[in-house]
Amino acid sequence: DTGVSQDPRHKITKRGQNVTFRCDPISEHNRLYWYRQTLGQGPEFLTYFQNEAQLEKSRLLSDRFSAERPKGSFSTLEIQRTEQGDSAMYLCASSLRDRGDEQYFGPGTRLTVT
Amino acid sequence: QKEVEQDPGPLSVPEGAIVSLNCTYSNSAFQYFMWYRQYSRKGPELLMYTYSSGNKEDGRFTAQVDKSSKYISLFIRDSQPSDSATYLCAMSEGTSYDKVIFGPGTSLSVIP
């Protein structure tokens, strides 16, 4: 257990529905990252926050995706109008500022869109 | 060509063997190199990180970086069945530039 928690662990939803995932990072970590991982691939960067500021977003993060970290602690990732191609593991990681090489991952949320 | 390439395996070795896992990359600006271990249906777990070229040892694990060849390796000595997992290499241009690029992972099975 790295100290990063994610909820829910599994989510099954129908195409077109909205889903929201939560990540609670290690408490002293001010950087928080979201990744997506599909079968047989490594995690792909989606976005990251330093405290409450969202500093970078990948082109993978379409308009249907939005992430927030309102108080610089936990973060949420929302996917609107889900598509079957959104089925993946969504991973959250956290690190200290300026230690992007030392990221600690949560267990992930596995999303299945039917 | 992908930025980071890794032989997906699967790699199967007998218990006690020395395992060599490798990655190649194309971006010469990468300076920080990491290895993660991922068990099935779990999040990646950071094993080791190194800066620039050279070797780093931690217990049964040794990481090597050869920037001139754009090639990194992870060696596991005295492999154990509990080492059976997917091993992901990852790299970034710097700690303040936080976009980490992962390889696709190599699946390792250590047979008792």
Side-chain angles (χ1 to χ4, degrees):
Chain A
D1 183 3
T2 63
V4 179
S5 61
Q6 291 187 246
D7 184 68
R9 296 291 307 276
H10 305 275
K11 179 71 176 179
I12 300 174
T13 191
K14 292 185 177 180
R15 188 177 56 182
Q17 298 295 304
N18 299 344
V19 294
T20 300
F21 310 140
R22 176 179 171 127
C23 171
D24 287 88
I26 294 170
S27 59
E28 60 266 32
H29 286 181
N30 45 26
R31 292 249 168 114
L32 186 149
Y33 312 80
W34 285 99
Y35 292 85
R36 181 174 69 185
Q37 186 177 26
T38 54
L39 195 63
Q41 299 299 317
E44 293 177 291
F45 172 82
L46 291 178
T47 188
Y48 89 93
F49 293 83
Q50 179 167 310
N51 300 316
E52 66 275 10
Q54 189 173 17
L55 297 187
E56 186 172 347
K57 292 193 292 185
S58 164
R59 57 181 168 76
L60 293 174
L61 214 65
S62 76
D63 291 346
R64 298 184 297 104
F65 288 70
S66 63
E68 293 183 342
R69 195 182 183 197
K71 297 183 179 179
S73 56
F74 73 91
S75 176
T76 58
L77 178 68
E78 181 183 15
I79 308 174
Q80 296 182 327
R81 305 181 303 282
T82 53
E83 301 173 356
Q84 287 189 320
D86 297 331
S87 295
M89 174 80 91
Y90 290 85
L91 292 161
C92 173
S94 70
S95 77
L96 292 168
R97 179 178 176 168
D98 292 337
R99 290 313 308 265
D101 60 325
E102 194 173 352
Q103 297 182 22
Y104 293 88
F105 281 82
T109 294
R110 183 171 295 280
L111 173 66
T112 301
V113 182
T114 61
Chain B
Q1 181 188 10
K2 291 188 176 181
E3 274 193 289
V4 181
E5 305 222 37
Q6 200 174 354
D7 186 339
L11 181 62
S12 184
V13 301
E15 182 175 355
I18 297 174
V19 177
S20 172
L21 304 165
N22 310 296
C23 284
T24 58
Y25 62 94
S26 58
N27 183 355
S28 58
F30 286 143
Q31 295 190 79
Y32 292 84
F33 304 92
M34 291 76 77
W35 285 95
Y36 285 82
R37 177 174 63 195
Q38 186 172 27
Y39 292 112
S40 181
R41 299 188 176 274
K42 303 285 187 183
E45 170 194 7
L46 179 64
L47 279 177
M48 298 182 73
Y49 55 89
T50 56
Y51 170 70
S52 195
S53 287
N55 294 359
K56 185 174 182 179
E57 188 173 322
D58 185 0
R60 297 185 295 111
F61 298 90
T62 299
Q64 285 186 352
V65 174
D66 181 351
K67 290 189 68 181
S68 62
S69 302
K70 298 192 181 70
Y71 187 89
I72 70 170
S73 301
L74 178 71
F75 297 95
I76 307 174
R77 290 183 299 281
D78 188 25
S79 56
Q80 303 295 309
S82 59
D83 295 328
S84 298
T86 295
Y87 289 80
L88 302 157
C89 63
M91 43 201 80
S92 70
E93 295 183 12
T95 58
S96 59
Y97 179 80
D98 294 277
K99 186 174 179 181
V100 174
I101 307 298
F102 284 81
T106 298
S107 176
L108 170 68
S109 291
V110 180
I111 311 301

